[in-house]
Amino acid sequence: MPSMRMKFILIAAFAALSAALFAQEQPIRLHAATILDGTGKVLRNATIVVQGSKIAAIETSTAGTASYELGRLTIIPGMIDVHSHLGWHFGKDGHYQARPGTPAEEILYSAENAYVTLMAGFTTIQSPGQANDVDLRDAIARGVFPGPRILTSIRQLNERSGTPDEIREKVRQLKKDGADVVKIFASASIRDGGKQTMTDEQLQAACGEAKAQGLRTMVHAHSPESIAASVNAGCNQIEHGVLADEASLALMAEKGVYFDPNVGVVLQNYLRNKAKFLGVGNYNEEGFAYMQKGLALNAAMIKKAVAMPNLKLVLGTDAVAGAHGRNADEIVERVKQGNQKPMDAIVSATSLSARSMNLEKTIGTLAPGYEADLVALDGDPTSDITAVTRVVFVMKGGKVYKHVAPGGGRGTHE
Ligand SMILES: [Zn+2]
Protein backbone atom coordinates (compact mmCIF):
# COMPACT_ATOMS: atom_id res chain seq x y z
CA MET A 1 0.00 0.00 0.00
CA PRO A 2 1.47 3.38 -0.86
CA SER A 3 2.00 5.76 2.01
CA MET A 4 -0.14 8.87 2.42
CA ARG A 5 2.79 10.90 1.19
CA MET A 6 3.13 8.73 -1.90
CA LYS A 7 -0.61 9.04 -2.55
CA PHE A 8 -0.30 12.81 -2.34
CA ILE A 9 2.58 12.83 -4.81
CA LEU A 10 0.66 10.61 -7.23
CA ILE A 11 -2.42 12.81 -7.03
CA ALA A 12 -0.36 15.95 -7.54
CA ALA A 13 1.44 14.42 -10.53
CA PHE A 14 -1.87 13.34 -12.06
CA ALA A 15 -3.33 16.83 -11.59
CA ALA A 16 -0.30 18.45 -13.24
CA LEU A 17 -0.48 16.00 -16.15
CA SER A 18 -4.22 16.67 -16.67
CA ALA A 19 -3.61 20.41 -16.64
CA ALA A 20 -0.86 20.01 -19.24
CA LEU A 21 -3.08 17.85 -21.44
CA PHE A 22 -5.93 20.30 -21.10
CA ALA A 23 -3.69 23.22 -22.06
CA GLN A 24 -2.57 21.35 -25.18
CA GLU A 25 -6.09 20.46 -26.26
CA GLN A 26 -6.14 19.55 -29.93
CA PRO A 27 -6.92 22.53 -32.16
CA ILE A 28 -10.07 22.47 -34.30
CA ARG A 29 -9.35 23.04 -37.98
CA LEU A 30 -12.10 24.38 -40.28
CA HIS A 31 -11.52 24.36 -44.01
CA ALA A 32 -13.71 26.10 -46.58
CA ALA A 33 -13.54 27.29 -50.16
CA THR A 34 -14.15 30.91 -49.19
CA ILE A 35 -13.57 32.90 -46.02
CA LEU A 36 -14.72 36.52 -45.62
CA ASP A 37 -12.79 37.96 -42.68
CA GLY A 38 -15.37 40.62 -41.76
CA THR A 39 -13.18 43.59 -42.74
CA GLY A 40 -13.60 43.17 -46.50
CA LYS A 41 -10.85 40.64 -47.19
CA VAL A 42 -11.54 37.38 -49.06
CA LEU A 43 -9.46 34.25 -48.50
CA ARG A 44 -9.77 31.29 -50.85
CA ASN A 45 -9.20 27.66 -49.90
CA ALA A 46 -8.26 28.48 -46.33
CA THR A 47 -8.21 26.79 -42.92
CA ILE A 48 -9.11 28.49 -39.66
CA VAL A 49 -7.29 26.98 -36.70
CA VAL A 50 -9.16 27.30 -33.41
CA GLN A 51 -7.47 26.70 -30.08
CA GLY A 52 -9.77 26.80 -27.07
CA SER A 53 -12.14 29.74 -27.49
CA LYS A 54 -9.96 31.72 -29.87
CA ILE A 55 -8.68 31.74 -33.45
CA ALA A 56 -5.02 30.70 -33.35
CA ALA A 57 -4.20 31.00 -37.05
CA ILE A 58 -5.63 31.18 -40.55
CA GLU A 59 -3.70 29.09 -43.07
CA THR A 60 -4.07 29.48 -46.80
CA SER A 61 -2.17 26.30 -47.63
CA THR A 62 -4.20 23.08 -47.85
CA ALA A 63 -1.83 21.14 -45.57
CA GLY A 64 -3.27 19.46 -42.50
CA THR A 65 -6.52 17.59 -42.19
CA ALA A 66 -9.63 19.52 -41.31
CA SER A 67 -11.75 18.66 -38.27
CA TYR A 68 -14.63 20.28 -40.18
CA GLU A 69 -14.43 20.09 -43.97
CA LEU A 70 -16.92 22.77 -45.00
CA GLY A 71 -16.15 22.37 -48.69
CA ARG A 72 -17.77 24.93 -50.94
CA LEU A 73 -19.38 26.82 -48.02
CA THR A 74 -18.46 30.41 -47.11
CA ILE A 75 -17.24 31.18 -43.59
CA ILE A 76 -17.92 34.65 -42.18
CA PRO A 77 -17.60 35.99 -38.62
CA GLY A 78 -20.57 35.33 -36.34
CA MET A 79 -23.10 38.02 -37.20
CA ILE A 80 -24.00 40.83 -34.79
CA ASP A 81 -27.41 42.42 -34.23
CA VAL A 82 -27.00 45.67 -32.28
CA HIS A 83 -30.75 45.98 -31.58
CA SER A 84 -32.71 42.85 -30.69
CA HIS A 85 -35.46 42.49 -28.07
CA LEU A 86 -34.96 38.89 -26.93
CA GLY A 87 -37.67 39.28 -24.28
CA TRP A 88 -40.49 39.96 -26.73
CA HIS A 89 -42.73 37.00 -27.47
CA PHE A 90 -46.26 35.99 -28.27
CA GLY A 91 -48.21 34.60 -25.32
CA LYS A 92 -49.69 31.17 -24.80
CA ASP A 93 -52.77 32.09 -26.85
CA GLY A 94 -50.54 33.15 -29.74
CA HIS A 95 -51.18 36.88 -29.21
CA TYR A 96 -48.76 39.57 -28.14
CA GLN A 97 -49.36 40.39 -24.49
CA ALA A 98 -48.50 43.74 -22.97
CA ARG A 99 -48.25 42.33 -19.45
CA PRO A 100 -45.43 39.94 -18.61
CA GLY A 101 -46.17 36.41 -17.47
CA THR A 102 -44.46 34.77 -14.52
CA PRO A 103 -40.68 35.36 -14.21
CA ALA A 104 -40.11 31.71 -15.18
CA GLU A 105 -42.26 32.05 -18.32
CA GLU A 106 -40.56 35.29 -19.30
CA ILE A 107 -37.00 34.01 -18.97
CA LEU A 108 -37.86 30.82 -20.88
CA TYR A 109 -39.33 32.80 -23.77
CA SER A 110 -36.18 34.95 -23.78
CA ALA A 111 -34.04 31.82 -23.75
CA GLU A 112 -35.95 30.39 -26.73
CA ASN A 113 -35.40 33.63 -28.64
CA ALA A 114 -31.71 33.58 -27.73
CA TYR A 115 -31.43 30.02 -29.03
CA VAL A 116 -33.08 30.67 -32.42
CA THR A 117 -31.01 33.84 -32.81
CA LEU A 118 -27.78 31.87 -32.31
CA MET A 119 -28.96 29.18 -34.74
CA ALA A 120 -29.53 31.93 -37.33
CA GLY A 121 -25.82 32.75 -37.11
CA PHE A 122 -25.97 35.72 -34.73
CA THR A 123 -23.34 35.17 -32.06
CA THR A 124 -23.71 38.60 -30.41
CA ILE A 125 -26.74 40.79 -29.83
CA GLN A 126 -27.33 44.06 -28.06
CA SER A 127 -30.62 44.40 -26.25
CA PRO A 128 -32.17 47.82 -25.72
CA GLY A 129 -33.13 46.42 -22.45
CA GLN A 130 -35.23 44.63 -19.95
CA ALA A 131 -34.41 43.57 -16.42
CA ASN A 132 -34.11 39.81 -17.00
CA ASP A 133 -31.49 40.39 -19.74
CA VAL A 134 -28.88 40.46 -16.99
CA ASP A 135 -29.70 36.92 -15.85
CA LEU A 136 -29.88 35.66 -19.43
CA ARG A 137 -26.61 37.42 -20.37
CA ASP A 138 -24.82 35.94 -17.38
CA ALA A 139 -26.32 32.46 -17.86
CA ILE A 140 -25.23 32.29 -21.51
CA ALA A 141 -21.79 33.59 -20.55
CA ARG A 142 -21.41 30.58 -18.21
CA GLY A 143 -21.07 28.57 -21.43
CA VAL A 144 -23.69 25.85 -21.01
CA PHE A 145 -26.97 27.27 -22.26
CA PRO A 146 -26.71 28.14 -26.00
CA GLY A 147 -27.31 31.73 -27.02
CA PRO A 148 -25.55 34.78 -28.41
CA ARG A 149 -23.31 37.01 -26.32
CA ILE A 150 -25.63 39.67 -24.89
CA LEU A 151 -25.07 43.34 -24.16
CA THR A 152 -27.95 45.09 -22.48
CA SER A 153 -29.22 48.49 -21.36
CA ILE A 154 -31.41 46.76 -18.69
CA ARG A 155 -33.82 49.75 -18.69
CA GLN A 156 -34.56 52.81 -20.83
CA LEU A 157 -34.65 56.55 -20.31
CA ASN A 158 -37.38 58.73 -21.79
CA GLU A 159 -39.10 62.11 -21.40
CA ARG A 160 -40.64 60.89 -18.13
CA SER A 161 -37.26 60.04 -16.57
CA GLY A 162 -37.15 63.33 -14.69
CA THR A 163 -35.02 66.44 -14.47
CA PRO A 164 -31.51 66.48 -15.93
CA ASP A 165 -30.15 65.79 -12.41
CA GLU A 166 -32.51 62.88 -11.91
CA ILE A 167 -31.51 61.50 -15.32
CA ARG A 168 -27.81 61.71 -14.41
CA GLU A 169 -28.51 59.76 -11.23
CA LYS A 170 -30.40 57.11 -13.23
CA VAL A 171 -27.42 56.72 -15.58
CA ARG A 172 -25.08 56.22 -12.59
CA GLN A 173 -27.46 53.57 -11.23
CA LEU A 174 -27.47 51.77 -14.59
CA LYS A 175 -23.69 51.64 -14.44
CA LYS A 176 -23.87 50.11 -10.92
CA ASP A 177 -26.44 47.57 -12.10
CA GLY A 178 -24.13 46.31 -14.86
CA ALA A 179 -25.60 47.93 -17.97
CA ASP A 180 -23.44 47.66 -21.10
CA VAL A 181 -25.14 50.57 -22.87
CA VAL A 182 -27.75 53.26 -22.13
CA LYS A 183 -30.97 53.23 -24.20
CA ILE A 184 -32.74 56.54 -24.65
CA PHE A 185 -36.05 57.45 -26.29
CA ALA A 186 -35.66 60.87 -27.91
CA SER A 187 -38.73 60.58 -30.11
CA ALA A 188 -42.19 59.03 -30.15
CA SER A 189 -42.81 55.71 -31.85
CA ILE A 190 -43.34 55.77 -35.61
CA ARG A 191 -46.87 54.58 -34.78
CA ASP A 192 -47.33 57.97 -33.05
CA GLY A 193 -45.58 60.08 -35.70
CA GLY A 194 -42.00 59.99 -34.41
CA LYS A 195 -41.70 63.56 -33.02
CA GLN A 196 -39.01 64.59 -30.49
CA THR A 197 -40.14 63.82 -26.93
CA MET A 198 -37.13 64.47 -24.63
CA THR A 199 -35.87 68.03 -24.23
CA ASP A 200 -32.39 68.95 -25.40
CA GLU A 201 -31.40 69.35 -21.71
CA GLN A 202 -32.63 65.84 -20.87
CA LEU A 203 -30.68 64.40 -23.81
CA GLN A 204 -27.54 66.28 -22.84
CA ALA A 205 -27.82 64.98 -19.27
CA ALA A 206 -28.33 61.36 -20.41
CA CYS A 207 -25.57 61.23 -23.03
CA GLY A 208 -23.19 63.49 -21.09
CA GLU A 209 -23.40 61.43 -17.89
CA ALA A 210 -23.17 58.15 -19.82
CA LYS A 211 -19.94 59.36 -21.41
CA ALA A 212 -18.60 60.37 -17.97
CA GLN A 213 -19.43 56.85 -16.71
CA GLY A 214 -17.77 55.16 -19.71
CA LEU A 215 -21.09 53.95 -21.10
CA ARG A 216 -22.23 54.13 -24.72
CA THR A 217 -25.63 55.53 -25.68
CA MET A 218 -28.14 54.30 -28.26
CA VAL A 219 -31.01 56.64 -29.02
CA HIS A 220 -34.42 55.84 -30.49
CA ALA A 221 -35.05 58.78 -32.85
CA HIS A 222 -37.25 58.98 -35.94
CA SER A 223 -37.61 62.65 -36.86
CA PRO A 224 -34.78 64.84 -38.20
CA GLU A 225 -34.97 67.21 -35.20
CA SER A 226 -34.80 64.37 -32.66
CA ILE A 227 -31.79 62.92 -34.51
CA ALA A 228 -30.05 66.30 -34.59
CA ALA A 229 -30.76 66.94 -30.89
CA SER A 230 -29.31 63.53 -29.98
CA VAL A 231 -26.20 63.95 -32.11
CA ASN A 232 -25.64 67.44 -30.72
CA ALA A 233 -26.03 66.08 -27.17
CA GLY A 234 -23.03 63.81 -27.82
CA CYS A 235 -24.95 60.52 -28.05
CA ASN A 236 -23.14 57.62 -29.79
CA GLN A 237 -25.73 55.86 -31.91
CA ILE A 238 -29.11 56.56 -33.50
CA GLU A 239 -31.72 53.82 -33.87
CA HIS A 240 -34.46 53.56 -36.56
CA GLY A 241 -34.38 57.06 -38.15
CA VAL A 242 -37.31 56.31 -40.44
CA LEU A 243 -37.73 60.03 -41.19
CA ALA A 244 -34.00 60.82 -41.44
CA ASP A 245 -33.29 63.34 -44.21
CA GLU A 246 -30.07 64.29 -46.05
CA ALA A 247 -29.15 66.85 -43.38
CA SER A 248 -29.54 64.49 -40.41
CA LEU A 249 -27.68 61.69 -42.24
CA ALA A 250 -24.87 64.14 -43.07
CA LEU A 251 -24.75 65.29 -39.44
CA MET A 252 -24.36 61.72 -38.16
CA ALA A 253 -21.61 61.10 -40.73
CA GLU A 254 -19.82 64.31 -39.80
CA LYS A 255 -19.91 63.62 -36.04
CA GLY A 256 -18.99 59.93 -36.39
CA VAL A 257 -22.28 58.81 -34.85
CA TYR A 258 -23.32 55.23 -35.66
CA PHE A 259 -26.63 54.82 -37.46
CA ASP A 260 -28.75 51.73 -37.07
CA PRO A 261 -31.67 51.88 -39.52
CA ASN A 262 -34.04 48.90 -39.38
CA VAL A 263 -35.49 48.34 -42.84
CA GLY A 264 -35.71 44.59 -43.35
CA VAL A 265 -37.23 42.91 -40.33
CA VAL A 266 -39.27 44.91 -37.85
CA LEU A 267 -42.06 46.51 -39.90
CA GLN A 268 -42.37 43.46 -42.15
CA ASN A 269 -42.74 41.34 -39.01
CA TYR A 270 -45.43 43.57 -37.51
CA LEU A 271 -47.40 43.57 -40.75
CA ARG A 272 -47.01 39.81 -41.23
CA ASN A 273 -48.21 39.23 -37.66
CA LYS A 274 -50.75 42.06 -37.51
CA ALA A 275 -53.54 39.93 -36.05
CA LYS A 276 -51.27 38.89 -33.16
CA PHE A 277 -50.42 42.50 -32.17
CA LEU A 278 -53.66 44.32 -32.95
CA GLY A 279 -55.58 45.65 -29.94
CA VAL A 280 -52.60 46.19 -27.59
CA GLY A 281 -51.62 49.83 -26.85
CA ASN A 282 -50.82 51.77 -30.02
CA TYR A 283 -51.03 48.60 -32.13
CA ASN A 284 -54.30 49.87 -33.59
CA GLU A 285 -55.41 50.40 -37.19
CA GLU A 286 -53.89 53.89 -37.20
CA GLY A 287 -50.57 52.54 -35.91
CA PHE A 288 -50.53 49.83 -38.56
CA ALA A 289 -51.29 52.42 -41.22
CA TYR A 290 -48.19 54.35 -40.08
CA MET A 291 -46.13 51.17 -40.23
CA GLN A 292 -47.40 50.37 -43.72
CA LYS A 293 -46.28 53.86 -44.82
CA GLY A 294 -43.02 53.29 -42.96
CA LEU A 295 -42.01 50.59 -45.46
CA ALA A 296 -41.79 53.13 -48.27
CA LEU A 297 -40.17 55.75 -46.01
CA ASN A 298 -37.55 53.19 -44.96
CA ALA A 299 -36.86 52.21 -48.56
CA ALA A 300 -36.24 55.84 -49.50
CA MET A 301 -34.19 56.54 -46.34
CA ILE A 302 -31.89 53.51 -46.65
CA LYS A 303 -30.92 54.48 -50.21
CA LYS A 304 -29.85 57.92 -48.96
CA ALA A 305 -28.10 56.43 -45.91
CA VAL A 306 -26.08 53.95 -47.98
CA ALA A 307 -25.13 56.72 -50.43
CA MET A 308 -24.03 59.12 -47.64
CA PRO A 309 -20.20 59.23 -47.54
CA ASN A 310 -18.59 58.20 -44.21
CA LEU A 311 -21.88 57.28 -42.55
CA LYS A 312 -21.21 54.35 -40.19
CA LEU A 313 -24.15 51.99 -40.76
CA VAL A 314 -24.37 49.20 -38.22
CA LEU A 315 -26.62 46.16 -38.38
CA GLY A 316 -29.66 46.13 -36.14
CA THR A 317 -33.08 44.63 -36.65
CA ASP A 318 -35.27 45.82 -33.74
CA ALA A 319 -36.43 42.18 -33.64
CA VAL A 320 -39.60 41.80 -31.58
CA ALA A 321 -42.05 38.92 -31.10
CA GLY A 322 -42.12 36.79 -34.24
CA ALA A 323 -38.87 38.13 -35.70
CA HIS A 324 -36.20 36.22 -33.78
CA GLY A 325 -34.17 33.96 -36.03
CA ARG A 326 -34.95 36.09 -39.09
CA ASN A 327 -32.33 38.72 -38.20
CA ALA A 328 -30.33 38.17 -41.39
CA ASP A 329 -33.26 39.44 -43.47
CA GLU A 330 -32.05 42.92 -42.46
CA ILE A 331 -28.76 42.33 -44.29
CA VAL A 332 -30.58 41.10 -47.39
CA GLU A 333 -32.91 44.13 -47.45
CA ARG A 334 -30.07 46.64 -46.93
CA VAL A 335 -28.64 45.28 -50.18
CA LYS A 336 -31.93 44.93 -52.04
CA GLN A 337 -33.62 48.17 -50.99
CA GLY A 338 -30.60 50.30 -50.17
CA ASN A 339 -28.26 49.19 -52.96
CA GLN A 340 -25.60 48.52 -50.34
CA LYS A 341 -22.70 46.49 -51.74
CA PRO A 342 -22.94 42.92 -50.40
CA MET A 343 -19.43 43.09 -48.94
CA ASP A 344 -20.24 46.37 -47.18
CA ALA A 345 -23.36 44.76 -45.72
CA ILE A 346 -21.26 41.85 -44.38
CA VAL A 347 -18.68 44.25 -42.88
CA SER A 348 -21.54 46.24 -41.33
CA ALA A 349 -22.98 43.11 -39.68
CA THR A 350 -19.61 41.97 -38.35
CA SER A 351 -16.54 44.17 -37.73
CA LEU A 352 -18.32 47.54 -37.87
CA SER A 353 -21.07 46.47 -35.49
CA ALA A 354 -18.36 45.08 -33.18
CA ARG A 355 -16.61 48.47 -33.31
CA SER A 356 -19.85 50.27 -32.42
CA MET A 357 -19.89 48.26 -29.16
CA ASN A 358 -16.15 48.80 -28.48
CA LEU A 359 -15.58 45.08 -29.15
CA GLU A 360 -13.56 45.47 -32.36
CA LYS A 361 -10.52 43.74 -30.84
CA THR A 362 -12.55 40.71 -29.65
CA ILE A 363 -15.28 39.80 -32.14
CA GLY A 364 -16.54 40.59 -35.65
CA THR A 365 -13.28 39.76 -37.45
CA LEU A 366 -11.69 36.45 -38.39
CA ALA A 367 -8.03 36.83 -37.42
CA PRO A 368 -5.61 35.29 -34.90
CA GLY A 369 -6.40 36.34 -31.33
CA TYR A 370 -10.11 36.95 -31.92
CA GLU A 371 -12.89 34.92 -30.33
CA ALA A 372 -13.73 31.94 -32.54
CA ASP A 373 -17.23 33.17 -33.43
CA LEU A 374 -17.94 32.07 -36.98
CA VAL A 375 -20.67 30.77 -39.21
CA ALA A 376 -20.72 28.92 -42.52
CA LEU A 377 -23.20 29.88 -45.22
CA ASP A 378 -24.63 27.75 -48.00
CA GLY A 379 -23.60 30.04 -50.84
CA ASP A 380 -21.39 33.08 -51.37
CA PRO A 381 -23.08 36.23 -50.04
CA THR A 382 -20.93 38.48 -52.20
CA SER A 383 -22.72 37.12 -55.28
CA ASP A 384 -26.05 36.16 -53.63
CA ILE A 385 -26.75 38.07 -50.43
CA THR A 386 -29.57 35.70 -49.45
CA ALA A 387 -26.82 33.23 -48.48
CA VAL A 388 -26.72 35.01 -45.09
CA THR A 389 -30.12 33.44 -44.34
CA ARG A 390 -28.74 29.93 -45.06
CA VAL A 391 -26.60 29.31 -41.97
CA VAL A 392 -25.52 25.67 -41.80
CA PHE A 393 -22.73 25.86 -39.21
CA VAL A 394 -22.37 27.97 -36.07
CA MET A 395 -19.37 28.18 -33.74
CA LYS A 396 -19.24 30.57 -30.81
CA GLY A 397 -16.20 30.89 -28.57
CA GLY A 398 -14.69 27.77 -30.16
CA LYS A 399 -17.74 25.61 -29.46
CA VAL A 400 -19.85 24.17 -32.30
CA TYR A 401 -23.57 24.79 -31.80
CA LYS A 402 -24.93 23.89 -35.22
CA HIS A 403 -23.76 21.74 -38.12
CA VAL A 404 -26.38 20.69 -40.64
CA ALA A 405 -26.21 19.62 -44.26
CA PRO A 406 -26.30 22.41 -46.86
CA GLY A 407 -29.79 22.77 -48.24
CA GLY A 408 -31.18 22.81 -44.70
CA GLY A 409 -30.33 26.34 -43.67
CA ARG A 410 -33.06 28.33 -42.01
CA GLY A 411 -35.61 25.63 -42.73
CA THR A 412 -34.06 23.46 -40.01
CA HIS A 413 -35.47 25.44 -37.10
CA GLU A 414 -38.48 27.34 -38.40
ZN1 LIG B 1 -36.32 48.52 -30.27
Side-chain angles (χ1 to χ4, degrees), residues 110-112 114-115 136 139-147 396 399 401:
S110 295
E112 287 173 8
Y115 177 73
L136 186 63
I140 290 171
R142 287 196 290 271
V144 178
F145 185 80
K396 188 190 115 203
K399 201 164 158 182
Y401 288 94

Side-chain angles (χ1 to χ4, degrees), residues 83 85 128 183 240 318:
H83 191 135
H85 297 276
K183 170 73 190 295
H240 320 308
D318 200 11

Side-chain angles (χ1 to χ4, degrees), residues 115-150:
Y115 177 73
V116 297
T117 301
L118 179 66
M119 292 301 111
F122 284 75
T123 49
T124 301
I125 67 106
Q126 181 163 253
S127 167
Q130 61 181 60
N132 68 9
D133 280 349
V134 174
D135 293 309
L136 186 63
R137 176 190 71 187
D138 297 350
I140 290 171
R142 287 196 290 271
V144 178
F145 185 80
R149 301 168 194 286
I150 295 176

Side-chain angles (χ1 to χ4, degrees), residues 185-198 220-228 230 238-244 282 287 290-291 297:
F185 278 85
S187 89
S189 156
I190 196 65
R191 286 180 294 284
D192 298 317
K195 286 198 181 67
Q196 184 172 340
T197 46
M198 285 176 85
H220 165 116
H222 282 300
S223 62
E225 76 273 19
S226 63
I227 294 172
S230 306
I238 301 295
E239 309 299 310
H240 320 308
V242 171
L243 305 169
N282 60 7
Y290 261 118
M291 293 199 280
L297 294 171

Side-chain angles (χ1 to χ4, degrees), residues 190 222 241-243 262-272 287-303 330 333 337-338:
I190 196 65
H222 282 300
V242 171
L243 305 169
N262 318 118
V263 304
V265 174
V266 63
L267 294 182
Q268 290 86 344
N269 179 73
Y270 277 131
L271 293 163
R272 192 169 53 236
F288 273 94
Y290 261 118
M291 293 199 280
Q292 186 69 48
K293 272 190 251 165
L295 289 177
L297 294 171
N298 265 339
M301 175 272 289
I302 192 65
K303 283 184 186 69
E330 181 70 32
E333 292 303 319
Q337 297 179 40

